[in-house]
């Protein structure tokens, strides 16, 4: 064993002779080969990092990172069965309509404290619906964060508008001063994304939008149930969107929502998500108002998922409380290590707790720590992607979106980049455009906090962190 060689003869003999119960960390490396006292042997061997051949803290995988899934039970089953028995799976009419989607919308709007919620079939659909309602199109620049999800870019590009990347700060959300710097005479709005379960500085961004006469769209897909200083995420934007895909805080497998306090935007969203025409109370299409005659996208939500989402919404605060409690416990321990920089959380009480982000001095240390933690057993089963270096975190990083960097187009003719209206709006998207994000991505790792961690799971995570950090820092 290579580590054995690093232990001096003096140390070896001391361990052998005294069998001291308090063995220094450095002396422990590889001592399991030498000491004979079984109790001490066990303690000592546990101190060797698993990545160096020691005993891992944990052998069982951590639960998968699907917050809503862990709280699903017979309630969701009954809700879905009730809809099936009614044989009325379409939201606007049926032989025995249960109005599950309509009730979900009312309950979701009420839980947020906004006037309108429109349920749609996905978060991506919600983004497209909201941008249609807001009138996004060619000749417009729309500010998006360097750290987001590809759906944000897709919604902008599919509308023919030009995405403009703005850098993030230590919240891993938009930096307000970078938003300000990115505004031009062609900017129409800002999409702010509350990343990884914790809200960004939405008040500052709202103020900028107001000053400059821009709309603000809040993407709350990763932050359902979150709040900042007592205000729910999703109430500050002109519109806000949510996702209920399986990785999100509440889920029906797929699903989304568009929320707004504006009657007109709600009507336009409603027309856009459906056939392109608004509907009256009776579900009949309205052709009278040309401003509401849009082009439909076909993102209606069905009754089955509406019913499941009603149950999940009732469980949302239980789900987020569980994650937040686990995360705060782990974070408290990590706060004791000056060599670990934790993501800036603007309001710990409003953090949904879904993710823990750690930043290190440099890229190599982040890599070494992450690999060592994984070797200690801090990993979900093979399906999960939790506990990763942020560099391996895929399409959340702007420059990993090849379609963006290469400006590809569905029509093969360069839409929307080559449109006449966009000629003057040429932007670049390769690595280097957002230096703060580039730097944070390289030095950070991310651990999902499952919503069903036991105290024992948390103990293991903490023990693994302590063990690894005491070696690598
Ligand atoms: C998941 C997600 C979406 C898209 O939601 P889907 O329901 O998967 O289409 C949009 N934005 C962000 C920030 C997301 O995390």
């Amino acid at each position: 064993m290579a580590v054995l060689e690093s232990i001096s003869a003096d140390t070896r003999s001391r361990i052998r002779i005294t069998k001291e119960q308090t063995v220094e960390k450095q002396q422990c490396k590889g001592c399991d080969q030498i000491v004979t006292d079984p109790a001490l042997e066990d303690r000592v061997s546990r101190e060797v990092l698993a990545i160096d051949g020691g005993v891992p803290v944990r052998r069982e995988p951590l639960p998968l990172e699907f917050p809503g899934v862990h709280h699903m039970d017979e309630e969701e089953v009954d809700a879905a069965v009730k809809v099936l028995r009614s044989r009325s799976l379409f939201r606007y009419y049926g032989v025995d309509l249960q109005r599950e989607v309509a009730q979900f919308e009312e309950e979701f709007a009420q839980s947020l404290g906004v006037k309108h919620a429109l349920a749609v079939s996905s978060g991506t659909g919600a983004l497209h619906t909201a941008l249609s309602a807001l009138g996004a199109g060619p000749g417009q620049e729309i500010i998006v964060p360097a750290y987001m999800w590809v759906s944000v870019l897709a919604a902008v590009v599919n509308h023919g508008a030009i995405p403009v990347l703005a850098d993030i700060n230590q919240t891993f959300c938009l930096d307000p001063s970078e938003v300000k710097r990115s505004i031009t005479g062609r900017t129409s709005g800002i999409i702010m994304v509350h990343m990884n379960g914790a809200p960004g500085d939405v008040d500052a961004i709202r103020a900028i939008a107001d000053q400059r006469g821009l709309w603000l769209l809040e993407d709350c897909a990763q932050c359902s149930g979150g709040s900042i200083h007592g205000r729910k995420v999703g109430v500050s934007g002109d519109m806000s969107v949510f996702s209920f895909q399986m990785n999100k805080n509440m889920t029906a497998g797929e699903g989304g929502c568009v929320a707004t306090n504006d009657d007109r935007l709600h009507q336009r969203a409603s027309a856009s998500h459906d056939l392109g025409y608004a509907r009256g109370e009776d579900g009949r299409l309205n052709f009278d108002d040309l401003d509401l005659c849009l082009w439909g996208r076909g993102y209606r939500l069905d009754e089955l998922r509406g019913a499941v989402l009603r149950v999940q919404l009732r469980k949302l605060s239980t789900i987020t409380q569980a994650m937040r409690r686990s995360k705060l416990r782990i974070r408290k321990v990590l706060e004791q290590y000056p060599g670990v920089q934790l993501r800036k959380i603007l309001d710990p009480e409003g953090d949904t707790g879904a993710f823990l982000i750690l930043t290190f001095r440099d890229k190599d240390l982040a890599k070494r720590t992450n690999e060592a933690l994984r070797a200690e057993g801090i990993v979900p089963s093979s399906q999960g992607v939790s506990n990763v270096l942020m560099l391996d975190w895929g399409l959340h990083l702007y420059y990993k979106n090849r379609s963006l960097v290469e400006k590809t187009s569905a029509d093969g003719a360069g839409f929307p980049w080559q449109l006449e209206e966009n000629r003057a709006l040429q932007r670049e998207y390769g690595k280097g455009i957002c230096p703060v994000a580039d730097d944070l991505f390289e030095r950070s790792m991310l651990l999902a906090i499952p919503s069903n961690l036991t105290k024992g799971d948390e103990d293991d995570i903490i023990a693994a962190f302590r063990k690894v950090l005491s070696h690598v820092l």
Side-chain angles (χ1 to χ4, degrees), residues 120-127 147-153 191-196 219-223 241-248 253-257 396:
V120 294
S121 53
S122 71
T124 307
L127 281 163
Y147 187 47
M148 36 73 217
W149 181 236
V150 57
S151 308
V152 173
L153 302 169
I191 304 181
M192 134 147 249
V193 187
H194 301 288
M195 286 301 283
N196 299 136
D219 182 339
C220 313
Q222 301 192 6
C223 204
V241 296
F242 295 81
S243 165
F244 309 124
Q245 183 270 341
M246 198 169 69
N247 289 81
K248 316 300 166 128
E254 295 274 12
C257 201
H396 302 85

Side-chain angles (χ1 to χ4, degrees), residues 323-333 348 351:
M323 295 190 292
R324 181 165 52 243
R325 192 188 43 71
S326 296
K327 174 175 166 177
L328 285 181
R329 189 171 163 228
I330 299 164
R331 231 183 111 100
K332 242 198 179 80
V333 174
D351 180 356

